[in-house]
Amino acid sequence: MTHNKVYVLPGTMCNQRLWEALSRELNHQIKLVHCEIPNANNLDELCEKLFNDIVADLVSSNQEPNAPIYLLGFSMGGYLAAYIASKHPQQVKRLFVVANSPTQLLADELSSRQAMLSFIEKNGYAGISVKKAYGLIDRTSELGSTSIVDTIQLMDRELGEIALINQYRCTNERINLLPQLLTLNIPIYFYYSKADKIINHLWFQKLAQTHLNEHVYEACGSGHMLPLEKPKELAALVNSWLTCSINN
């Protein structure tokens, strides 16, 4: 049987390690294709580069460049996936947004990012602290908090200061994508933690008043790093997402 190829977009300062636990939980017929976040000058350029990389992968694997794709994004990558789907609706067949509300960043998060950029400009970047990494996860994580923190710090070190600056600068200014998502006639899944402080819960309250509320799934706890924290639960949802019917 042909593999179900899912293009996966990572969160801020995450690389291919983000998907390893999830990949182990998925059926071998599901292939996750990690998309690296490229350097860019702005959000539009960043998303077009990502989309072109996906098209290039389709061509290199002997598929048509306009073949419909399955797109899953985590955190920042969730916003990017939703943005790409809104810009290229004819090519995205299914969309899965993990640990993200595709809208403007919360004021506290935006302020924190701007402060971090100012600090790095003066002092350089020493990497994500253990305290901040622990703040991204829930104590009940499936794989154990220490192991997850180690992975977060390792990904951060591997990507480094330039990647962080680029990712922040390109993705700080966002728009509310709900109007665009409402026009897409494709399966769209959302998965986030009930007490995740990075999520805009008011956005999901507005989403609940639309037909997109059909596939919104809440995880227990406050964890943000769901591909690392709840890979089994996420894998079950990915299976459901790939097999649910498409309304024509």
Side-chain angles (χ1 to χ4, degrees):
M1 180 182 259
T2 305
H3 282 80
N4 280 321
K5 184 183 287 190
V6 178
Y7 290 96
V8 287
L9 278 56
T12 303
M13 298 304 280
C14 295
N15 58 21
Q16 69 279 357
R17 297 181 189 277
L18 176 72
W19 313 111
E20 290 175 354
L22 173 61
S23 184
R24 288 193 294 268
E25 297 295 337
L26 290 169
N27 186 294
H28 69 278
Q29 293 168 349
I30 300 173
K31 179 182 179 182
L32 302 183
V33 180
H34 171 72
C35 301
E36 293 186 10
I37 305 300
N39 290 329
N41 294 310
N42 53 59
L43 182 62
D44 280 308
E45 181 182 318
L46 175 61
C47 288
E48 283 308 298
K49 282 187 173 183
L50 277 169
F51 181 72
N52 289 336
D53 288 343
I54 291 171
V55 171
D57 181 79
L58 290 171
V59 173
S60 69
S61 57
N62 298 317
Q63 293 179 267
E64 293 295 325
N66 60 349
I69 61 173
Y70 301 150
L71 195 57
L72 181 152
F74 161 74
S75 195
M76 174 188 71
Y79 184 88
L80 299 178
Y83 196 90
I84 290 171
S86 71
K87 293 290 186 179
H88 300 277
Q90 74 287 351
Q91 194 149 357
V92 177
K93 190 173 183 179
R94 297 172 188 265
L95 173 65
F96 199 138
V97 177
V98 180
N100 179 264
S101 39
T103 188
Q104 295 94 340
L105 290 170
L106 293 170
D108 287 348
E109 173 69 9
L110 186 56
S111 176
S112 174
R113 283 166 164 249
Q114 290 169 338
M116 174 63 78
L117 286 173
S118 296
F119 180 87
I120 292 173
E121 187 177 341
K122 295 177 183 178
N123 305 286
Y125 183 57
I128 188 171
S129 68
V130 171
K131 181 179 179 181
K132 185 170 182 180
Y134 268 107
L136 294 172
I137 66 175
D138 190 89
R139 279 180 276 180
T140 61
S141 302
E142 289 176 4
L143 301 184
S145 56
T146 301
S147 173
I148 293 171
V149 165
D150 288 345
T151 300
I152 292 171
Q153 291 193 298
L154 178 57
M155 292 190 295
D156 184 76
R157 286 197 301 272
E158 289 174 339
L159 289 169
E161 178 181 317
I162 294 175
L164 178 63
I165 293 172
N166 175 69
Q167 290 177 16
Y168 271 14
R169 285 181 174 167
C170 285
T171 65
N172 276 351
E173 298 301 323
R174 307 180 187 184
I175 62 171
N176 180 14
L177 294 176
L178 182 56
Q180 291 90 328
L181 295 179
L182 287 170
T183 68
L184 301 179
N185 190 31
I186 59 173
I188 304 178
Y189 273 48
F190 297 91
Y191 177 54
Y192 64 94
S193 290
K194 194 173 296 186
D196 185 350
K197 295 180 181 178
I198 300 176
I199 294 296
N200 187 328
H201 294 274
L202 289 176
W203 188 86
F204 278 105
Q205 289 177 22
K206 294 177 181 178
L207 183 77
Q209 301 168 26
T210 75
H211 70 275
L212 292 182
N213 193 51
E214 180 183 0
H215 294 299
V216 176
Y217 302 93
E218 285 187 338
C220 296
S222 61
H224 183 69
M225 304 296 295
L226 292 176
L228 297 174
E229 296 183 74
K230 295 186 181 290
K232 291 181 181 178
E233 196 169 292
L234 179 54
L237 289 173
V238 169
N239 286 329
S240 171
W241 171 64
L242 288 173
T243 55
C244 74
S245 61
I246 298 177
N247 297 322
N248 293 317

